[in-house]
Amino acid sequence: MVTKQLLKDLPEDADLRRADSLAREIFSDVANKWAFLIIEALGERTLRFSELRNEVEGVSHKMLTQNLRILERNGLVDRKVYPTVPPRVEYTLTEPGRALRATVDAICGWTHQYLGHIEDARRHFDA
């Protein structure tokens, strides 16, 4: 976690330890399984809602909509609506979203690397 020394020149909103900080709110918005999977699925591509839903297996229409709105609100996803009938909507990662994707990729890599270890630990714990 971030130490007080590292935070001394930053505004209070940057302190994840504070319940009222903007940083904690942003962290909460992006550090969930659906946001991670959406960011990973979009990657360098532009996808329509239905394509994105097919890419993120198990996500409900409601959860995908909610998470896309949160990611758009935080400036991580760009939503483009085309004036067609029915409307065509496409989603693309913004520059900050692509930067966050590098972190998401690292977490995915960590998960793959330690999956066996975690499975063994769970079996041992649950025994």
Side-chain angles (χ1 to χ4, degrees):
M1 189 55 79
V2 179
T3 65
K4 285 189 179 198
Q5 183 66 23
L6 292 173
L7 289 169
K8 70 179 181 166
D9 295 326
L10 295 175
E12 288 183 350
D13 262 359
D15 190 347
L16 281 172
R17 297 169 303 170
R18 291 177 49 106
D20 64 343
S21 75
L22 178 59
R24 187 181 283 194
E25 182 183 333
I26 294 166
F27 185 77
S28 177
D29 286 348
V30 300
N32 72 72
K33 69 178 178 181
W34 297 125
F36 274 18
L37 293 172
I38 291 165
I39 291 166
E40 185 66 20
L42 282 172
E44 298 297 323
R45 305 182 291 171
T46 296
L47 296 174
R48 294 178 69 173
F49 184 91
S50 59
E51 294 170 326
L52 194 48
R53 188 165 177 205
N54 290 336
E55 287 286 323
V56 182
E57 188 174 318
V59 69
S60 69
H61 186 280
K62 177 183 175 183
M63 289 308 297
L64 182 55
T65 299
Q66 285 177 353
N67 277 273
L68 283 168
R69 286 182 182 157
I70 289 168
L71 292 170
E72 183 182 6
R73 178 176 183 249
N74 286 305
L76 303 174
V77 168
D78 182 47
R79 178 177 178 262
K80 187 169 185 178
V81 181
Y82 294 90
T84 60
V85 178
R88 189 176 93 206
V89 182
E90 294 179 340
Y91 298 90
T92 308
L93 290 178
T94 62
E95 190 278 321
R98 289 189 302 275
L100 179 58
R101 183 170 174 251
T103 301
V104 171
D105 286 346
I107 292 171
C108 290
W110 174 88
T111 303
H112 293 140
Q113 182 177 351
Y114 291 104
L115 189 62
H117 173 82
I118 294 167
E119 287 175 330
D120 290 345
R122 286 181 173 190
R123 275 193 295 277
H124 178 73
F125 185 85
D126 294 340

